Each structure stands twice: as structure tokens, then as C-alpha cells.
Amino acid sequence: MAPTVKSDFLRIIIERGFLADATDLTALDEALIDGPVTAYIGYDATAASLHVGHLLNIMLLRWFQKTGNRPITLMGGGTTKVGDPSFRSDERPLLGPEQIQSNIDGMQQVFARYLDYGDGKAMMLNNAEWLDGLNYLDFLRDIGRHFSVNRMLSFESVKSRLDREQSLSFLEFNYMILQAYDFLEQYRRYDCRLQMGGSDQWGNIINGVDLTRRVLDKEVWGLTTPLLTTSDGRKMGKSQGGAIWLNGDMLSPYEFWQFWRNTTDADVGRFLKLYTELPVDECDRLGALQGSEINEGKIRLANEVTTLLHGAEAAASAEATAREVFEQGGAGGDLEIVTIGADALPVSVIQLLSQTGITASGKEAKRLIAEGGLRLNNDPVSDPQVQVDAGMIGDGLKVSVGKKKHRMVRVG
């Protein structure tokens, strides 16, 4: 049964499925009613773009701002130099300052699409501002003394690593102290009283809540979102072709739209609630559609999510292209969906043509390629030795001959 809350923010996120856990929901609810409250989510700069796995918490920040509060996006310019060990089997590669800054520049492009940073409504900070200048001995004496190694070892993110007898470096072990210090420092500077994040960050968030109470005798809170998997058990944001990036120069708006269009039937209603701003009743209606009618929900999901990130024009263009190429086969042609077992991959493009029924023989396939008549995802193929693997197929590989013969190949 969902907890009873009165603040707009908590009511909305509980109704839409964002809440996994919170440190003191009643106290947080009261603070939000009195509001506004400042909250942050941290993002380490480990790649040049955020990916779909980050989108849940970006939407959480968006709802936080839309309900009258102030969100902080904290760039991990300092903590990225250490690397978060949470639920990893090995140490993250250490990045240099120039690469970290380049990654931050790439990540910042996305947040401006979801949050309003004008007139201090939202803030973008970098924890290098306070971490880079720390004096090690002073930090150990003033902050480190508040941490129990016994308790740190009990956190699941650390314990699971040690239980598997996988090395955890002293550098990584310090990460949770630095993240806790981030919370303390943002409270001091910006009256930030709430840290939010995925449920894998629960231990790190608790550390920050405890540290702020110990050092400043102030009450702050933590809130986590569930770690999402699709209904068929895959980690949200991952496809066989790799990460679904949010930056348009790393993944085109069309490919991003297609990712959502290919959502499994059972996930449509849930994803509409989490990744769009459609009313909950409409999300439930679309998610309950059956048979081919569920495609209405998938297209609405793809359009809404793509509009938020890339704009309405990009979403409309993606839908128009998809309707022409995939649903109608393009120029009046037909599109047939073909499923290939993962154990049958990789295959040569010659074998692929035979398996999809586009050509009757290898000789015909070679002739087709030699004449420039074959395209994979609209790119011409000139080499008959090309190997097609699961990574190339991704969420769907379009095989086209001319303008009227198409196959959509998927891994089953």
C-alpha cells in the first residue's frame, strides 16, 4: 500500500512509481509542504554522455522543480577521480582532468532540456570546487573520524565485492566518504537538505545523512528510486547494440525514438508514467491496450520521451520516417519481421540474406551486393564478407533491397 503523503512532489512520484525508499518520509513530506526544499543528485563524469539509465532520476529532478523546489545537478569533477565502486566487479579506469572536463561538457547538454537554470531556479555544481582543495590530514581528522570501517564494510555495495573476493582499493573505499562530504558541503553552502539517487546509492546517501547530523547537528534526508529492469529482465537503458546515449551526436534522435518504440508491451504503461508527463489515467489507458492497439501506446511513449530530449520536431520526424520505412516498408513496400536466435550469430551478410528470404541463393546475394542493391539500416553494403553479429542488429536491423523489399531482423 502506498504511503499517505500531502506534498505535491511525493504524491506525484509515489503515484508514478519513482519511490523505492526514503530515510524519513513523514519529516520530508512536512518540509516539502513548508518548502521550497533544495535537493541534489550527483553524476560522475565517466562518459561523454548520459544514457537512458540516468533518465529516471533526471525526470525525478524535473518533477522536483515542477512542484516548486530547487534541484541541483552535481557534476562529479572531484569524485570521478576516485570512481564509485558500488556494485562493480572491478575498479573503474582512472580518468585525467581534461577527459573529466570534456565528459562534463558533454553531459551538461542534456540537463538544460529538462531543467530551468534561469534565475537560480536550478543549480549546476561541480564537487571539484570543494574536493580539489581539501587538506588530507585535516579531512581525516575532521571528517574521517565520523566513519566506522566496520559499518562501511557492512554496506551491500562493498560487501558484495568482498564476498566475491574481488579487490577493493583504498582509493575506491574513500569514495563513500567523499560523497557523504558532498552532502554536508552542499547543506552548508546552499541549504541542500535532500539527496536523491538510484537504490544502489542507498548506502552512500545514508552516510551523508549521518555525517551532516554528526558534524552540524542538522536533519537532512535521502530518497531513492528503484533500479529498473524491463519486463523481460534486461537492465533498463541497455540494448544488444550498447548504451542508449542521450546526446544526439552519440545516438541520433531517430535511433532514440526507435528504442522507445520497441518497448515490450508489458512495460508501456509503467514507462509512460516514469518517462513522460502524461496524466496517470492516460498512461494506464495506453498501457492496457491489447494486441496491435498497444502500438498506439508505444508511439505515444516514443514521441513524448523524444520531444522532451530532442524537441517536438525531431520526434515528429522520427515518427514519420518510421511509418514510411518500418510500418509501410517505404514507397509502398512490405516489411517482414525476422527473428534470429542469438546462438546462430554471427553470420555473414550472404547467410543473412538467405535466412531472411530476400535472396534464394548465395550467388544471387553476391550479385545483389556487387550491383549495390543491398542496404543495412539504409547504409549501402559493398563487401560480401561483412559479418553480422548481435551488436550490429541491436534493437533491430533493417535489411533492404530496392525500395519495396524490406526485412526487420531481430535477435530472439
Side-chain angles (χ1 to χ4, degrees):
M1 183 177 178
T4 302
V5 294
K6 297 179 180 179
S7 61
D8 287 343
F9 173 67
L10 288 180
R11 177 182 53 79
I12 288 170
I13 69 166
I14 289 172
E15 185 178 36
R16 300 185 80 95
F18 283 89
L19 182 64
D21 211 341
T23 54
D24 188 338
L25 201 63
T26 300
L28 175 58
D29 192 35
E30 292 172 355
L32 288 163
I33 292 170
D34 293 338
V37 172
T38 299
Y40 89 97
I41 297 178
Y43 298 87
D44 279 346
T46 55
S49 170
L50 299 166
H51 56 72
V52 164
H54 294 108
L55 196 52
L56 181 72
N57 283 330
I58 296 175
M59 288 299 295
L60 184 69
L61 288 171
R62 183 175 171 88
W63 281 116
F64 192 71
Q65 184 171 54
K66 285 171 72 71
T67 51
N69 299 288
R70 181 172 68 164
I72 294 174
T73 46
L74 180 65
M75 301 290 98
T79 44
T80 305
K81 297 173 183 176
V82 175
D84 184 0
S86 297
F87 298 99
R88 287 183 59 87
S89 60
D90 54 4
E91 187 171 357
R92 292 182 185 275
L94 295 180
L95 304 179
E98 291 184 0
Q99 183 62 58
I100 290 173
Q101 186 57 54
S102 176
N103 288 348
I104 288 175
D105 292 341
M107 293 164 60
Q108 287 176 337
Q109 300 173 26
V110 169
F111 293 111
R113 300 290 314 185
Y114 292 87
L115 301 173
D116 181 1
Y117 289 93
D119 300 323
K121 294 177 182 177
M123 300 180 67
M124 185 171 289
L125 306 176
N126 187 332
N127 61 17
E129 180 182 342
W130 52 81
L131 294 181
D132 280 2
L134 287 176
N135 179 290
Y136 185 59
L137 291 179
D138 288 345
F139 184 74
L140 285 179
R141 182 191 62 201
D142 298 338
I143 302 300
R145 66 189 180 90
H146 294 290
F147 288 82
S148 162
V149 172
N150 303 62
R151 186 161 182 263
M152 292 165 73
L153 289 172
S154 71
F155 285 117
E156 187 60 32
S157 59
V158 173
K159 188 173 180 292
S160 61
R161 182 96 158 252
L162 299 179
D163 286 347
R164 295 192 299 268
E165 298 183 356
Q166 293 166 330
S167 175
L168 180 71
S169 72
F170 179 71
L171 179 69
E172 294 176 286
F173 197 57
N174 276 270
Y175 184 92
M176 63 181 73
I177 301 178
L178 296 177
Q179 184 170 326
Y181 184 70
D182 280 346
F183 200 172
L184 170 66
E185 197 63 28
Q186 287 175 98
Y187 178 88
R188 282 173 169 162
R189 297 180 181 219
Y190 308 106
D191 191 32
C192 179
R193 291 184 286 164
L194 172 63
Q195 181 183 358
M196 302 187 291
S199 57
D200 60 331
Q201 293 298 312
W202 180 250
N204 290 333
I205 291 173
I206 292 294
N207 278 332
V209 171
D210 288 348
L211 180 65
T212 305
R213 176 180 53 80
R214 291 173 183 271
V215 175
L216 301 178
D217 194 26
K218 297 294 183 181
E219 183 182 22
V220 293
W221 304 283
L223 182 153
T224 59
T225 55
L227 292 181
L228 286 188
T229 58
T230 59
S231 59
D232 54 4
R234 290 180 291 117
K235 186 176 180 180
M236 182 60 190
K238 298 290 186 180
S239 73
Q240 290 168 324
I244 306 301
W245 302 110
L246 301 186
N247 284 16
D249 57 350
M250 294 180 66
L251 186 79
S252 72
Y254 175 71
E255 292 173 295
F256 182 77
W257 189 95
Q258 276 293 334
F259 170 78
W260 296 100
R261 173 62 179 84
N262 291 332
T263 295
T264 304
D265 293 3
D267 292 324
V268 172
R270 182 168 58 124
F271 287 178
L272 281 164
K273 292 177 187 176
L274 293 172
Y275 297 108
T276 81
E277 295 172 343
L278 292 177
V280 169
D281 288 348
E282 178 67 358
C283 297
D284 287 336
R285 181 190 74 80
L286 291 167
L289 295 174
Q290 299 294 314
S292 61
E293 291 184 351
I294 192 65
N295 289 324
E296 177 191 346
K298 295 181 181 183
I299 291 171
R300 190 72 182 277
L301 172 66
N303 282 337
E304 294 288 334
V305 180
T306 304
T307 295
L308 282 172
L309 179 60
H310 294 296
E313 186 176 339
S317 175
E319 181 183 2
T321 301
R323 287 189 183 279
E324 178 185 354
V325 176
F326 290 94
E327 295 183 8
Q328 300 171 5
D334 298 320
L335 177 73
E336 179 181 331
I337 296 176
V338 178
T339 301
I340 295 179
D343 56 352
L345 297 170
V347 296
S348 71
V349 70
I350 299 293
Q351 292 171 307
L352 183 69
L353 291 175
S354 176
Q355 291 180 21
T356 56
I358 284 187
T359 60
S361 66
K363 182 178 180 180
E364 182 185 349
K366 290 178 181 178
R367 179 186 56 77
L368 182 67
I369 293 171
E371 294 175 354
L374 173 67
R375 299 186 311 283
L376 299 181
N377 282 346
N378 296 328
D379 295 324
V381 176
S382 58
D383 182 3
Q385 302 302 318
V386 167
Q387 293 289 305
V388 177
D389 57 19
M392 182 182 294
I393 294 174
D395 291 319
L397 177 69
K398 181 165 70 80
V399 181
S400 303
V401 175
K403 294 182 177 180
K404 295 189 177 183
K405 188 181 290 187
H406 306 273
R407 300 288 188 274
M408 172 58 67
V409 180
R410 290 177 177 156
V411 179

